[in-house]
Amino acid sequence: MDLTGIVGRALPALDACAPEMVVETLRLLLREALPVQDLAVYLVDYDQELLLELTDGTHHSARVVDVEEGPLGEAFVSGAPVVVEDGHGGAVTHVPMVSRGERFGVLVVSTSSPPPTTAVDELVRLGAVLALVVPQASLYSDHLERTRRAVPLTLPAEIQWSELPVRAYSCDRFDVAGQLCPAYEVGGDVFDYTLEGNHLQVTALDAMGHGLGASLLGSLAINALRNNRRAGLSLVDQVRGADRVLYGQHGGDKFVCGAFVRLDTETGDVVAVNAGHPFGVLVRAGAGRPFDVPAQLPLGLFERTMYDEHRMRLEPGDRLVLVSDGVLEAAPPGGEEYGEERLVADLEALDGMGADETVRRVIRRLRHFEGVDLRDDITVIVLDWRGAG
């Protein structure tokens, strides 16, 4: 079983094929080097609750697997390959599709004999290639995009998801991951992050209202901020500029709450601005505490609101978690809100887990919190800073 050269050939082969032919292209490619009996690709859905089988679009018998079930779910959750022998001399290898920290799904390869370690390592690299192809293919075809949707997105959610960066990003100094919920109906929440040189900037926004109006308001705010950022303005001037845009458009009748963080990834120095938005939690050495940044006015209320910066410093190993008020206010009918204390306890319990999986688990715990009624959109963003090394 020699997969030498297969990974190098996979990217051009996948680039050249139609999105509907991804699975068949992989099957033919791998059969040149492995005794492949079957092959499947599963993509994670928007809620990160299900793994949905990618098909050629000619039938409707695609398989659906819960993210936390069996070896398929184990490979996704752990981000590591899982090989299961089938009891008949063969094996099924489950390989996560991961690119720079974001998990897109799982590649499943059934072979008539167990693959050696070297072959599994090459399949892991092939999974990384697939993780590059999937988001690119979604730019020119809806086939893979449809597969990722367990149910149709609402129009406001379609707008919000089109505004987002990739859900997770990892490098040598930090990991960052974020998620919106309920993914298929979200309206007013949006998040953003960008890396430039040694500086990582993270933004969480919560536009007033619900539905399409909130989605359009959030879209205006995030693009005003990006425009200011790309013009080279400081963090506080980006916020001030977006505030003026929103006021100019709506005359103070609509507003957007925002949490803004700019991290120097070399020193750990943080500049933060709080425009009426809860910040969340700082987890240090396994212990969590509220991350308090003095609150100022939301964006768009007045013509010339002045915003001030708050400065602090992270220590290597620190985890900073930003959340929207929908997280803290989530509650079962007639019951007690989830609240800051429970959030801190859950984050302490998840300490040591990767940023992307922590985000997923916080939202999953929230959904199962005493029959909680998610009355508002929720955003969870996790930033882990490892230090400059």
Side-chain angles (χ1 to χ4, degrees), residues 27 37 84 98 113 120 241 256-257 296 304 306 363 380 386:
R27 184 181 289 113
Q37 295 179 314
V84 179
V98 184
S113 58
V120 174
V256 175
C257 298
Q296 301 171 79
R304 296 189 65 81
M306 298 302 293
I363 291 176
V380 178
R386 283 188 284 275

Side-chain angles (χ1 to χ4, degrees), residues 77-299:
V77 169
S78 68
V82 176
V83 181
V84 179
E85 296 191 15
D86 61 14
H88 303 286
V92 183
T93 304
H94 308 79
V95 176
M97 296 159 48
V98 184
S99 176
R100 287 190 172 270
E102 183 171 17
R103 300 169 298 174
F104 289 92
V106 180
L107 168 65
V108 181
V109 182
S110 301
T111 50
S112 58
S113 58
T117 301
T118 53
V120 174
D121 291 342
E122 289 302 305
L123 288 175
V124 169
R125 295 186 182 94
L126 184 59
V129 170
L130 270 175
L132 293 173
V133 169
V134 167
Q136 287 297 314
S138 295
L139 297 177
Y140 55 80
S141 171
D142 287 337
H143 179 64
L144 277 71
E145 185 64 30
R146 284 196 195 97
T147 299
R148 295 179 56 218
R149 302 182 179 196
V151 295
L153 292 178
T154 63
L155 177 57
E158 189 82 53
I159 293 171
Q160 294 306 89
W161 281 102
S162 71
E163 300 289 357
L164 298 185
V166 295
R167 273 196 282 210
Y169 178 83
S170 179
C171 63
D172 57 344
R173 293 182 180 176
F174 67 85
D175 298 323
V176 63
Q179 173 74 3
L180 304 180
C181 180
Y184 294 93
E185 299 175 359
V186 68
D189 281 15
V190 64
F191 68 87
D192 194 20
Y193 63 85
T194 188
L195 176 65
E196 183 173 359
N198 295 325
H199 291 93
L200 172 69
Q201 188 165 313
V202 181
T203 299
L205 298 181
D206 183 359
M208 68 169 284
H210 299 281
L212 186 57
S215 181
L216 294 173
L217 184 60
S219 178
L220 175 61
I222 202 68
N223 282 290
L225 288 159
R226 285 172 176 162
N227 185 252
N228 293 336
R229 187 187 74 218
R230 291 164 181 168
L233 300 185
S234 68
L235 177 62
V236 73
D237 285 337
Q238 293 170 36
V239 176
R240 290 170 180 166
D243 171 65
R244 285 154 178 71
V245 167
L246 292 175
Y247 182 84
Q249 188 69 23
H250 297 290
D253 292 334
K254 297 183 179 181
F255 63 86
V256 175
C257 298
F260 309 92
V261 171
R262 183 173 171 86
L263 167 69
D264 186 321
T265 62
E266 279 196 333
T267 65
D269 289 329
V270 170
V271 176
V273 176
N274 183 350
H277 194 289
F279 254 72
V281 175
L282 175 67
V283 181
R284 175 172 291 167
R289 60 179 173 84
F291 178 55
D292 293 322
V293 177
Q296 301 171 79
L297 289 172
L299 308 179

Side-chain angles (χ1 to χ4, degrees), residues 44-89:
V44 69
D45 86 311
Y46 272 77
D47 263 332
Q48 291 193 305
E49 290 282 316
L50 301 171
L51 290 161
L52 308 169
E53 185 186 10
L54 177 65
T55 70
D56 61 8
T58 60
H59 60 84
H60 301 282
S61 59
R63 288 164 288 186
V64 179
V65 178
D66 188 282
V67 160
E68 299 203 354
E69 287 186 0
L72 193 65
E74 182 183 348
F76 179 84
V77 169
S78 68
V82 176
V83 181
V84 179
E85 296 191 15
D86 61 14
H88 303 286

Side-chain angles (χ1 to χ4, degrees), residues 20-39:
E20 293 85 354
M21 296 300 295
V22 165
V23 174
E24 183 61 22
T25 299
L26 284 173
R27 184 181 289 113
L28 293 174
L29 193 64
L30 287 179
R31 277 180 176 166
E32 298 177 14
L34 291 176
V36 174
Q37 295 179 314
D38 194 15
L39 183 144

Side-chain angles (χ1 to χ4, degrees), residues 324-339:
S324 61
D325 59 3
V327 173
L328 303 177
E329 296 171 1
E336 186 179 355
E337 293 182 342
Y338 181 69

